[in-house]
Amino acid sequence: MTELMSIGTAGAAAARTALEREIAAGGVAVFPADGLYGLACDPLREDAIARINALKGRDPGKSSAVLYFAPLAMRELVSSLGPRTRDALPALLPGPVTLVVANPQRRYPLACAEDPERLGVRLIAGPLAGAAAAIFQTSANRSGEPAPASFADVDPAIVEAADLAIDGGELTGLPSTVVDVTGIEHGEEPVILREGALSREEVLRRLEPGRDR
């Protein structure tokens, strides 16, 4: 049976604790990201990722982002990045951005799918900020259907199939902007793969060389 939790009623701290507990147990959670509701699980648990893919009707060969709620949880990943990539992180994160970074150590291979040396990473603010879990994250909708911006819009079948569902109220409805920075260590410009909540102009402004962060 799904554990239902409202941040408005239970509070953000209780929601963070519940999410951490469920991810550590190998479960699947519906949660509020910054713009849309997502499905989450441990990015190292193949069985949990398979559950999410089956629930969504999602191609298992499709890559996904690894999402963090706290900068400290990213420290091991950040230590493996090049200096220019490390500079890009605080310029854009936390925020509604997915950064695609070079991943020569092939961390989180299940999230990378067929391209193990490229990894999408997110760091978000909001009521769940501070949760210690790193999660495999994808939108909480059946593939091909609109991603939900409110808990009420999440398909009831998805809620019922999850182990935990967190109601965080109405979100912006905007997807993250996807920025590929895999080439910046070699002097290549960042590439906007999808424009979302953060405009192309704002992304490029924040990444200007020498800009005061």
Side-chain angles (χ1 to χ4, degrees):
M1 181 178 293
T2 307
E3 178 185 359
L4 299 175
M5 175 172 288
S6 167
I7 291 177
T9 301
R16 289 193 294 268
T17 297
L19 180 64
E20 291 170 346
R21 181 180 65 245
E22 199 57 62
I23 298 303
V28 169
V30 175
F31 78 104
D34 39 11
L36 299 164
Y37 276 79
L39 282 165
C41 71
D42 184 333
L44 301 177
R45 289 287 297 258
E46 188 171 6
D47 56 339
I49 292 173
R51 279 182 62 194
I52 287 179
N53 288 335
L55 184 56
K56 286 176 57 76
R58 183 176 185 269
D59 178 0
K62 188 177 181 180
S63 61
S64 187
V66 172
L67 184 148
Y68 298 87
F69 301 93
L72 190 60
M74 300 179 70
R75 62 190 183 282
E76 185 176 355
L77 171 68
V78 171
S79 69
S80 71
L81 301 175
R84 294 181 180 177
T85 307
R86 289 198 298 269
D87 285 345
L89 262 65
L92 295 172
L93 301 177
V97 173
T98 300
L99 274 182
V100 182
V101 301
N103 185 31
Q105 296 186 6
R106 301 193 170 195
R107 299 178 186 274
Y108 300 113
L110 297 175
C112 299
E114 296 177 352
D115 197 353
E117 297 199 356
R118 290 160 54 90
L119 174 66
V121 294
R122 298 206 65 203
L123 173 65
I124 66 170
L128 295 177
I135 62 170
F136 174 98
Q137 176 258 329
T138 182
S139 55
N141 57 284
R142 294 280 300 173
S143 291
E145 296 181 359
S150 70
F151 188 77
D153 290 336
V154 180
D155 187 330
I158 289 180
V159 173
E160 291 173 9
D163 302 296
L164 170 68
I166 301 172
D167 183 350
E170 189 80 21
L171 306 179
T172 67
L174 298 174
S176 66
T177 297
V178 182
V179 185
D180 185 339
V181 294
T182 55
I184 63 173
E185 298 299 332
H186 309 292
E188 298 176 18
E189 294 295 318
V191 178
I192 312 298
L193 301 180
R194 180 183 73 193
E195 188 167 2
L198 198 67
S199 71
R200 176 186 299 270
E201 291 74 19
E202 179 63 14
V203 168
L204 297 178
R205 186 185 72 83
R206 294 188 187 187
L207 292 177
E208 287 176 2
R211 180 177 179 271
D212 183 10
R213 308 301 185 201

